[in-house]
Amino acid sequence: MIRDQHIPIMTNEILSFINKKKNLSILDCTFGGGGHSKKFLEKGHFVTAIDQDDNSLIFAKQLKKNFPNIIFYKNNFKNIDLLDFDTKKFNFILLDLGFSSNQLDDNDIGLSFKKNSELNMNYLGGDLNAYKIINYYDMEELKRVFYVYGEINQAEKLAKYIINQRSIKKINTNFEFIEVLRESGVNFRSKKIHFATQAFQALRIESNHELENLEIFLKKVHSFFEINAYLAIISFHSLEDRIVKNYFKDNKVKKNNTFQNNKDWGYEILTKKPLTPSKLEVIENNRSRSAKLRVGRFIN
Ligand SMILES: C[S@@+](CC[C@H](N)C(=O)[O-])C[C@H]1O[C@@H](n2cnc3c(N)ncnc32)[C@H](O)[C@@H]1O
């Protein structure tokens, strides 16, 4: 039996936006182990949940035994407009981005640089993975991945070194890749973090099309709101947070209550600065330390 190890993040902050409301229709686009969904169900709300992970389907079935008001769709949230929802409008939509602790612990996915595993990092089930990127991407593509997604200044030097090493022998595992990073001579800006963090982040973002999924979703989500609904997004790295921040800014309702860019909808931004977890939450759940929550109220 798979056990859900994932602790939901910033649940009090999320619930605070809807604490007096009843019987809401909520769309949880990143169900994971169902931590947030369970909190919504306990408050008597109705949950429509999405996740691409097979294990989430199992967790959703378990949750449904006690809370019948949940319906689960195994899919990518970028396909929100293709799903055959019972309800098409929601009062609250949540994205808790990235991967779950269960996925981090899964050696077949290999997201961790602390454990050895085959190079993969794909947790969303597409065709791409870290092995293909490292062993088959050309110089320019590798440079882009490490520069844009890893924010590694010496991305070109790293790409050249990888291409040289893989011509001698394919790079098969996480530990082999870490060895390549170590020997590359690249100066990773890593005083506080493990030196492989940025390169792993880059490969994970590329393998799962993380930023593209978010951007596609944000282009569609406005069609799914009830009046005065909320969009809440938790992100875990600056590249994601920048997309969310700009999305709210670009669609902010102006002071004279008009909308931007000929749209007939917009958001009141409820978090001028992103909310972050309390010190206590970070102590209790170290994984929450980099979380940033932004919330907007949908107006049309
Ligand atoms: C941080 S976890 C969410 C945990 C969840 N809120 C909980 O409390 O258990 C992120 C989840 O989102 C899923 N996910 C990430 N990107 C996705 C996407 N584009 N489409 C569908 N699911 C996605 C992952 O599979 C993972 O289960």
Side-chain angles (χ1 to χ4, degrees):
M1 174 178 154
I2 357 155
R3 214 170 271 133
D4 173 26
Q5 310 289 354
H6 190 91
I7 305 167
I9 283 173
M10 300 185 76
T11 48
N12 291 339
E13 289 82 351
I14 288 171
L15 289 173
S16 71
F17 290 94
I18 48 172
N19 63 9
K20 291 201 182 91
K21 310 208 170 170
K22 298 226 172 345
N23 298 325
L24 297 184
S25 179
I26 294 183
L27 179 62
D28 180 352
C29 296
T30 47
F31 177 83
H36 287 110
S37 281
K38 187 167 181 230
K39 296 278 174 194
F40 297 135
L41 290 163
E42 283 168 352
K43 300 271 176 200
H45 302 305
F46 296 79
V47 174
T48 301
I50 305 173
D51 204 294
Q52 183 72 71
D53 190 337
D54 285 326
N55 288 329
S56 290
L57 177 61
I58 299 171
F59 295 135
K61 280 186 180 155
Q62 282 167 3
L63 198 58
K64 202 174 173 67
K65 289 182 192 155
N66 291 330
F67 300 97
N69 290 335
I70 176 163
I71 177 157
F72 179 82
Y73 294 82
K74 180 184 166 329
N75 215 304
N76 192 308
F77 58 63
K78 73 174 180 184
N79 299 326
I80 184 174
D81 54 334
L82 306 178
L83 300 176
D84 183 21
F85 293 141
D86 287 351
T87 319
K88 282 275 183 205
K89 300 277 181 190
F90 300 93
N91 305 107
F92 193 98
I93 298 184
L94 173 67
L95 277 186
D96 174 17
L97 291 165
F99 53 90
S100 66
S101 307
N102 305 309
Q103 289 164 332
L104 181 63
D105 291 342
D106 186 336
N107 230 30
D108 290 339
I109 302 177
L111 289 170
S112 170
F113 45 71
K114 293 184 186 148
K115 287 186 282 181
N116 202 12
S117 55
E118 303 287 313
L119 261 185
N120 176 10
M121 302 195 201
N122 182 317
Y123 60 91
L124 291 180
D127 288 338
L128 193 55
N129 62 36
Y131 177 84
K132 290 183 187 168
I133 297 167
I134 290 300
N135 290 294
Y136 294 101
Y137 267 23
D138 67 20
M139 171 74 192
E140 282 309 309
E141 287 176 310
L142 275 178
K143 197 174 125 188
R144 170 186 60 81
V145 170
F146 290 119
Y147 188 73
V148 180
Y149 296 157
E151 300 177 284
I152 295 169
N153 289 336
Q154 293 176 299
E156 181 165 347
K157 183 172 176 179
L158 179 58
K160 274 189 187 152
Y161 189 72
I162 289 171
I163 289 173
N164 184 275
Q165 288 306 107
R166 79 188 187 195
S167 70
I168 303 166
K169 182 187 165 298
K170 290 256 183 296
I171 301 159
N172 290 306
T173 67
N174 284 11
F175 280 6
E176 284 175 18
F177 178 57
I178 289 176
E179 203 44 39
V180 169
L181 294 175
R182 199 190 311 277
E183 298 295 318
S184 67
V186 168
N187 185 15
F188 297 100
R189 41 174 191 88
S190 55
K191 291 246 156 48
K192 285 195 192 145
I193 50 174
H194 188 285
F195 74 93
T197 305
Q198 293 160 262
F200 267 62
Q201 168 179 302
L203 291 178
R204 201 198 67 232
I205 292 175
E206 177 77 1
S207 297
N208 297 288
H209 308 288
E210 285 183 4
L211 303 185
E212 202 181 311
N213 294 335
L214 176 60
E215 280 165 345
I216 295 173
F217 170 87
L218 290 175
K219 286 205 175 87
K220 300 174 174 178
V221 69
H222 61 272
S223 313
F224 293 87
F225 289 116
E226 287 284 3
I227 296 166
N228 285 332
Y230 298 84
L231 175 63
I233 305 184
I234 305 176
S235 59
F236 291 88
H237 55 77
S238 58
L239 299 171
E240 263 169 8
D241 183 55
R242 196 175 309 148
I243 293 173
V244 178
K245 179 179 162 187
N246 288 337
Y247 171 74
F248 279 130
K249 196 172 124 230
D250 292 346
N251 295 298
K252 185 179 162 183
V253 176
K254 290 190 186 158
K255 282 212 173 83
N256 55 2
N257 266 344
T258 54
F259 302 114
Q260 301 197 47
N261 308 327
N262 296 327
K263 290 178 183 146
D264 56 2
W265 55 270
Y267 293 90
E268 178 193 355
I269 299 174
L270 302 179
T271 48
K272 291 220 165 49
K273 283 200 175 141
L275 302 182
T276 51
S278 65
K279 280 193 186 137
L280 182 64
E281 176 162 8
V282 176
I283 292 168
E284 286 176 353
N285 178 13
N286 187 41
R287 197 181 174 263
S288 71
R289 70 193 181 281
S290 46
K292 285 192 171 140
L293 169 65
R294 293 186 188 267
V295 182
R297 191 164 67 87
F298 185 76
I299 295 174
N300 64 351

